């Protein structure tokens, strides 16, 4: 598994898909990946997969959690073995 964390302070949230990227990286092309995005609705999307044979695991927060012009700490924990994803905002 892994943890991705960042401090964010968006002036605004873009409405186009994946325009509010915090982290997006791939190993071996697009076969192993992790991504963390802020959606224009203020929700957070986090997911990834550890190897080519894994299905992409992802989740999106159900409530608006990101506020424009405010520093916030976000962290995503992805456990590939247990197939669980947890997103933390400000602790």
């Amino acid at each position: 598994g892994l943890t991705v964390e960042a401090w964010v302070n968006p002036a605004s949230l873009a409405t186009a898909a994946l325009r509010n990227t915090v982290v997006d990286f791939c190993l071996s092309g697009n076969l192993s990946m992790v991504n963390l995005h802020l959606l224009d609705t203020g929700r957070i999307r986090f997911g990834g997969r550890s190897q080519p044979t894994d299905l992409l695991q992802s989740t999106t927060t159900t409530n608006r959690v990101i506020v424009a012009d405010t520093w916030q700490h976000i962290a995503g924990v992805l456990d590939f073995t247990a197939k669980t994803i947890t997103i933390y905002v400000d602790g």
Side-chain angles (χ1 to χ4, degrees):
L2 60 90
T3 300
V4 174
E5 64 176 318
W7 282 95
V8 297
N9 184 5
S12 63
L13 295 170
T15 57
L18 307 180
R19 295 287 185 206
N20 303 298
T21 301
V22 177
V23 173
D24 192 355
F25 65 89
C26 298
L27 303 172
S28 303
N30 65 353
L31 302 179
S32 301
M33 62 168 57
V34 173
N35 51 53
L36 177 64
H37 302 275
L38 307 179
L39 304 180
D40 62 337
T41 58
R43 300 182 313 158
I44 300 170
R45 181 184 175 278
F46 178 59
R49 65 176 168 222
S50 64
Q51 55 190 348
T53 56
D54 286 347
L55 293 175
L56 176 68
Q57 301 173 52
S58 69
T59 192
T60 303
T61 57
T62 56
N63 298 318
R64 178 182 185 87
V65 292
I66 297 300
V67 180
D69 293 319
T70 302
W71 279 106
Q72 293 177 273
H73 182 261
I74 58 176
V77 179
L78 180 53
D79 184 331
F80 294 111
T81 304
K83 300 195 182 314
T84 59
I85 301 173
T86 307
I87 297 174
Y88 298 95
V89 179
D90 294 329

